[in-house]
Amino acid sequence: MKAWWQRLAWRERRLLLGGGLMVLMMLAYHQLWLPLQHAAQQQRHQVAQLQQQLAWMQQQAPLVHELQQTTPTTVKNSDVGSALSALSQTKQITLKRIQPQGDRAQVELDAVPFEKLINWLAALEQQEAITVQQIELQAMPTAGMVQVKRLILGRMNKS
């Protein structure tokens, strides 16, 4: 190899050295500089997305605070069954049977309009801190009506 290099003319050596240097610079550019630039661009994009997400969260903070304020802090009725009976009368829901099970109750209902059922369940959660723990519904032939096959309601756990 050394003999071959010595046989080359001075101009050829310079040309090969210059070409080799250009190849090394191109390799360094493609193997080092471009990946670094690509990673930096991705990081800038990610920062922009996270800033947008933070701005959205800051906009939603008052709503979250408001919802936390409306969450019941004390339970009006200590007995789940009596709370269910009282609110079902207010919302005009006919209860067939309430079977208490500690801080829970299994409830049987007549066929009821779905919207009325949802409003009753929402009122139970908001006013009495009673939530749905299990529910099984079946659509009725009449539009908007549902048959409640299984409904277990209970107090929310305050931790």
Side-chain angles (χ1 to χ4, degrees):
M1 182 84 160
K2 190 174 183 180
W4 172 79
W5 183 257
Q6 295 297 329
R7 279 183 289 178
L8 292 176
W10 182 78
R11 286 183 181 180
E12 291 172 337
R13 286 184 204 166
R14 222 170 87 186
L15 183 63
L16 284 174
L17 284 175
L21 186 59
M22 290 294 283
V23 167
L24 283 175
M25 288 174 48
M26 286 175 50
L27 280 173
Y29 178 77
H30 283 283
Q31 297 297 318
L32 298 174
W33 184 255
L34 282 180
L36 286 174
Q37 289 299 314
H38 182 68
Q41 183 179 8
Q42 284 181 327
Q43 293 295 319
R44 284 190 294 272
H45 181 69
Q46 186 177 10
V47 165
Q49 285 181 326
L50 290 173
Q51 286 173 336
Q52 287 176 348
Q53 188 177 11
L54 175 62
W56 180 83
M57 286 181 183
Q58 288 171 338
Q59 287 176 345
Q60 301 305 313
L63 177 62
V64 170
H65 184 68
E66 181 182 326
L67 289 174
Q68 286 174 340
Q69 297 299 326
T70 61
T71 302
T73 54
T74 59
V75 177
K76 292 181 182 177
N77 297 318
S78 59
D79 181 24
V80 174
S82 61
L84 291 173
S85 295
L87 206 53
S88 67
Q89 290 174 358
T90 308
K91 296 292 182 178
Q92 299 175 346
I93 300 282
T94 305
L95 301 178
K96 282 186 181 177
R97 184 174 73 146
I98 300 173
Q99 183 178 353
Q101 300 171 345
D103 63 344
R104 297 168 29 158
Q106 185 167 347
V107 181
E108 289 184 23
L109 304 172
D110 286 330
V112 62
F114 181 72
E115 187 174 329
K116 190 183 275 191
L117 175 67
I118 294 300
N119 290 335
W120 177 62
L121 293 174
L124 282 171
E125 183 173 353
Q126 291 171 355
Q127 296 174 18
E128 301 292 338
I130 296 174
T131 59
V132 175
Q133 296 184 354
Q134 289 182 7
I135 190 167
E136 184 180 339
L137 303 174
Q138 179 180 356
M140 300 294 291
T142 309
M145 297 291 285
V146 292
Q147 176 65 47
V148 179
K149 295 255 189 195
R150 180 177 177 88
L151 177 59
I152 298 179
L153 301 166
R155 296 266 184 222
M156 288 191 277
N157 293 332
K158 299 283 184 188
S159 300

